[in-house]
Amino acid sequence: MSQPFIPFTKPTIDEATIAAVADVLRSGWITSGPKVLEFESALSAYLGGATVRCFANGTATMKIALQVAGIGPGDEVITTPISWVATSNVILAVGAKPVFVDIDPKTRNLDLHQVQSAINNKTKAIMPVYLAGLPLDIDALYTIAENHQLRVIEDAAQALGSSWNGLRIGAKGRHDLVSFSFQANKNLTTIEGGCLVFNTDRYGGDQVSLAEKLRLQGLVRHGPDGMEVDVLGGKDNLTDVNAVIGLHQLKQLERFQEQRIALARHYFDRFEQSGLSKIGLGLPIADFVNSNWHMFQVLLPLERLGQTRSQIMLVLKERGIGTGVHYPAITGFALYRQRGYSPEATPVANQIGQSILTLPLFPTMTEADIDRVVKALQEVLA
Ligand SMILES: *Cc1c(COP(=O)(O)O)cnc(C)c1O
């Protein structure tokens, strides 16, 4: 009696969204147009009036963020080894140097003491990553940045809907540049997509117009007045088809998040009842105030288990349970080793990268699904 497979994540797309996509496809205008502008305004409203621009994906968004912050060859950007490789790839892509510091095992994000020690006269920016949607101490982060006159580019790819001190991440206020992703697995998806939030109070509108140029070939104008290009841009615009999906997702985002929170609570209850935390399974911080619960990630006590993470993932898969690894330390990849990095340089991150496991969590999951996951884990780890 095999039960249905539970993937580690699954997008929630309703019929109204599908119908809206069909409308755009029939409309005669399918690339960037009115739906992108509408989506940017809706995101801005969601973020307390902040200035928001959309891009083709989160990676392009972060690369453009670095470019508008003026980061390039000779500059250093402090970041975490535990992220999707896009975070540091874009630092390399603009010709700057990623400086990886170790992480705080609680937030699984930058250890801010280590950030302080890594700052030197080449440092231009700090790039934190809100893994699983959990923010770090935003006040402490910006205090460091302000003391050293550094830019902050927040990789909030996973953190739309998360908050700090009662304000959403990216909300108009203290933030510098905040990058979100709308890739298929994220809490809000446009299939592929991303957006950047600017602090126009502090920096004015120049960075916004630069970002607009960078996302479309550096085009200053085109139309009856002729055409002009004055910077090297790419082709990183979002389409109206993607934007209309985002508009429908945004309407449902709070409900999605409530469902995620309720399911995360159920995980904690079940882990407590099953005694799994006693065997040394590392649970995430039970933050039901700030986190959007993008993922539910545990740390496997591999040294006690005598099984590898891959073996455990395979057995769970055979029982119909999908899991994921987000992420091994970036510094272990060949591209990074070739450049002189090594995962051993950041032992906490290295350890977490080896033992972290993403369990299923998505809005349409049921409590019974979670019971199945916890029971299977209990048997596999026994
Ligand atoms: C998804 C993600 C990105 C990249 O976003 P894409 O839209 O896939 O380009 C970057 N950083 C983190 C932490 C992510 O999870």
Coordinates of all heavy atoms in Angstrom, one line a residue, residues 268-303:
F268 N 7.1 20.9 15.1 CA 7.7 21.0 16.5 C 7.0 20.1 17.5 O 7.6 19.4 18.3 CB 7.7 22.5 16.9 CG 8.8 23.3 16.3 CD1 8.6 24.2 15.3 CD2 10.2 23.1 16.7 CE1 9.6 24.9 14.7 CE2 11.2 23.8 16.2 CZ 10.9 24.8 15.2
D269 N 5.6 20.2 17.4 CA 4.8 19.3 18.3 C 5.2 17.9 18.1 O 5.4 17.1 19.1 CB 3.3 19.5 18.1 CG 2.9 20.9 18.5 OD1 3.6 21.6 19.2 OD2 1.7 21.3 18.1
R270 N 5.2 17.4 16.9 CA 5.5 16.0 16.6 C 6.9 15.6 17.0 O 7.1 14.5 17.6 CB 5.3 15.7 15.1 CG 3.9 15.5 14.8 CD 3.4 14.1 15.2 NE 2.0 13.9 15.0 CZ 1.1 14.3 15.9 NH1 1.4 14.9 17.0 NH2 -0.2 14.0 15.6
F271 N 7.9 16.5 16.8 CA 9.3 16.2 17.1 C 9.4 16.1 18.6 O 10.1 15.2 19.1 CB 10.2 17.3 16.6 CG 10.6 17.1 15.2 CD1 10.6 18.1 14.3 CD2 11.0 15.8 14.7 CE1 10.9 17.9 12.9 CE2 11.4 15.6 13.4 CZ 11.3 16.7 12.5
E272 N 8.6 16.9 19.4 CA 8.7 16.8 20.8 C 8.1 15.5 21.3 O 8.7 14.8 22.1 CB 7.9 18.0 21.4 CG 8.3 18.2 22.8 CD 7.7 19.6 23.3 OE1 7.8 20.5 22.5 OE2 7.1 19.6 24.4
Q273 N 6.9 15.2 20.7 CA 6.2 13.9 21.1 C 7.0 12.7 20.8 O 7.0 11.7 21.6 CB 4.8 13.8 20.5 CG 3.8 14.8 21.0 CD 2.7 15.0 20.1 OE1 2.6 14.4 19.0 NE2 1.8 16.0 20.4
S274 N 7.7 12.7 19.7 CA 8.4 11.5 19.2 C 9.8 11.4 19.9 O 10.4 10.4 19.7 CB 8.5 11.5 17.7 OG 9.4 12.6 17.4
G275 N 10.2 12.4 20.6 CA 11.5 12.4 21.3 C 12.7 12.5 20.3 O 13.8 12.2 20.7
L276 N 12.4 12.9 19.1 CA 13.5 12.9 18.1 C 14.5 14.0 18.5 O 15.7 13.8 18.1 CB 12.9 13.3 16.7 CG 12.6 12.1 15.8 CD1 12.0 12.6 14.5 CD2 13.9 11.3 15.5
S277 N 14.1 15.0 19.2 CA 15.1 16.0 19.5 C 16.1 15.4 20.5 O 17.3 15.8 20.6 CB 14.5 17.3 20.1 OG 13.4 16.9 20.9
K278 N 15.7 14.4 21.3 CA 16.6 13.7 22.2 C 17.8 13.0 21.5 O 18.8 12.9 22.1 CB 15.8 12.7 23.1 CG 15.0 13.4 24.2 CD 14.7 12.4 25.3 CE 13.4 12.8 26.0 NZ 12.2 12.5 25.2
I279 N 17.5 12.5 20.3 CA 18.6 11.8 19.7 C 19.6 12.8 19.0 O 20.6 12.4 18.4 CB 18.2 10.8 18.6 CG1 17.5 11.5 17.4 CG2 17.2 9.8 19.2 CD1 17.7 10.7 16.2
G280 N 19.4 14.1 19.3 CA 20.4 15.1 18.8 C 20.1 15.6 17.4 O 20.9 16.3 16.8
L281 N 18.8 15.4 16.9 CA 18.4 16.1 15.7 C 18.3 17.6 15.9 O 17.6 18.0 16.9 CB 17.0 15.5 15.3 CG 16.5 15.8 13.9 CD1 17.3 15.0 12.9 CD2 15.0 15.6 13.8
G282 N 19.0 18.3 15.1 CA 19.1 19.8 15.4 C 17.9 20.4 14.7 O 17.7 20.4 13.5
L283 N 17.0 21.1 15.5 CA 15.8 21.7 15.0 C 16.1 23.2 14.7 O 17.0 23.8 15.3 CB 14.7 21.6 16.0 CG 14.2 20.2 16.4 CD1 13.0 20.3 17.3 CD2 13.8 19.4 15.1
P284 N 15.3 23.8 13.8 CA 15.5 25.2 13.6 C 15.0 26.0 14.8 O 14.3 25.5 15.6 CB 14.7 25.5 12.3 CG 13.7 24.4 12.3 CD 14.3 23.2 13.0
I285 N 15.4 27.3 14.8 CA 14.8 28.2 15.9 C 13.3 28.3 15.6 O 12.9 28.4 14.5 CB 15.3 29.6 15.8 CG1 16.9 29.6 15.8 CG2 14.8 30.5 16.9 CD1 17.4 31.1 15.8
A286 N 12.5 28.1 16.7 CA 11.1 28.1 16.6 C 10.6 29.6 16.6 O 10.0 30.1 17.5 CB 10.4 27.4 17.7
D287 N 10.9 30.3 15.5 CA 10.6 31.7 15.4 C 9.3 31.9 14.6 O 9.2 31.8 13.4 CB 11.7 32.4 14.6 CG 11.5 33.9 14.6 OD1 10.3 34.4 14.7 OD2 12.5 34.7 14.4
F288 N 8.2 32.1 15.4 CA 6.9 32.3 14.8 C 6.5 33.7 14.7 O 5.3 34.1 14.4 CB 5.8 31.4 15.5 CG 6.1 30.0 15.4 CD1 6.6 29.2 16.4 CD2 5.8 29.3 14.2 CE1 6.9 27.9 16.2 CE2 6.1 28.0 14.0 CZ 6.6 27.3 15.0
V289 N 7.5 34.6 14.9 CA 7.2 36.0 14.8 C 7.8 36.6 13.5 O 7.2 37.3 12.7 CB 7.8 36.8 16.0 CG1 7.6 38.3 15.8 CG2 7.1 36.3 17.3
N290 N 9.1 36.2 13.2 CA 9.8 36.8 12.1 C 9.9 36.0 10.9 O 10.0 36.5 9.8 CB 11.3 37.1 12.6 CG 11.3 38.2 13.7 OD1 10.7 39.2 13.6 ND2 11.9 37.8 14.8
S291 N 9.9 34.7 11.0 CA 10.2 33.8 9.9 C 8.9 33.6 9.0 O 7.8 33.5 9.5 CB 10.7 32.5 10.3 OG 11.0 31.6 9.2
N292 N 9.2 33.5 7.7 CA 8.0 33.1 6.8 C 8.0 31.6 6.6 O 7.2 31.2 5.7 CB 8.2 33.9 5.5 CG 9.4 33.4 4.7 OD1 10.2 32.5 5.1 ND2 9.6 33.9 3.5
W293 N 8.8 30.9 7.3 CA 8.9 29.4 7.2 C 9.0 29.0 5.7 O 8.2 28.1 5.2 CB 7.8 28.8 7.9 CG 8.0 28.9 9.4 CD1 7.5 29.9 10.2 CD2 9.0 28.2 10.2 NE1 8.1 29.8 11.5 CE2 9.0 28.8 11.5 CE3 9.9 27.1 9.9 CZ2 9.8 28.3 12.5 CZ3 10.7 26.6 10.9 CH2 10.6 27.2 12.2
H294 N 10.0 29.5 5.0 CA 10.2 29.1 3.6 C 10.6 27.6 3.6 O 10.2 26.9 2.6 CB 11.3 30.0 3.0 CG 11.7 29.5 1.6 ND1 10.8 29.4 0.6 CD2 12.9 29.1 1.2 CE1 11.4 28.9 -0.5 NE2 12.7 28.7 -0.1
M295 N 11.4 27.2 4.6 CA 11.7 25.8 4.6 C 11.8 25.4 6.1 O 11.9 26.2 7.0 CB 13.2 25.6 4.0 CG 13.3 25.9 2.5 SD 14.8 25.3 1.8 CE 16.0 26.6 2.3
F296 N 11.7 24.0 6.3 CA 11.9 23.5 7.6 C 13.1 22.6 7.5 O 13.1 21.5 6.8 CB 10.6 22.7 8.1 CG 10.6 22.4 9.5 CD1 9.9 23.1 10.4 CD2 11.4 21.3 10.0 CE1 9.9 22.9 11.8 CE2 11.5 21.1 11.4 CZ 10.7 21.8 12.3
Q297 N 14.2 23.0 8.1 CA 15.4 22.3 8.0 C 16.0 21.8 9.3 O 16.1 22.5 10.3 CB 16.5 23.3 7.4 CG 16.1 23.8 6.0 CD 17.1 24.7 5.4 OE1 17.3 25.8 5.9 NE2 17.8 24.2 4.4
V298 N 16.3 20.5 9.3 CA 16.9 19.9 10.5 C 18.4 19.6 10.2 O 18.8 19.5 9.1 CB 16.2 18.6 10.9 CG1 14.7 18.9 11.3 CG2 16.2 17.6 9.8
L299 N 19.1 19.4 11.3 CA 20.5 19.0 11.2 C 20.6 17.6 11.7 O 20.2 17.3 12.8 CB 21.4 19.9 12.1 CG 21.4 21.4 11.8 CD1 22.3 22.2 12.8 CD2 21.7 21.7 10.4
L300 N 21.1 16.7 10.9 CA 21.2 15.3 11.2 C 22.4 15.0 12.1 O 23.5 15.6 11.8 CB 21.3 14.4 9.9 CG 20.2 14.5 8.9 CD1 20.6 13.8 7.6 CD2 18.9 13.8 9.5
P301 N 22.3 14.2 13.2 CA 23.4 13.9 14.0 C 24.3 12.8 13.4 O 24.3 11.6 13.9 CB 22.8 13.5 15.3 CG 21.4 12.9 14.9 CD 21.0 13.6 13.6
L302 N 24.9 13.1 12.3 CA 25.6 12.1 11.4 C 26.6 11.2 12.2 O 26.7 10.0 12.0 CB 26.2 12.7 10.2 CG 25.2 13.3 9.2 CD1 25.9 14.1 8.1 CD2 24.3 12.2 8.6
E303 N 27.3 11.9 13.1 CA 28.4 11.1 13.8 C 27.8 10.0 14.6 O 28.4 8.9 14.8 CB 29.3 12.1 14.6 CG 28.7 12.9 15.7 CD 27.7 13.9 15.2 OE1 27.6 14.3 14.0 OE2 26.9 14.4 16.1

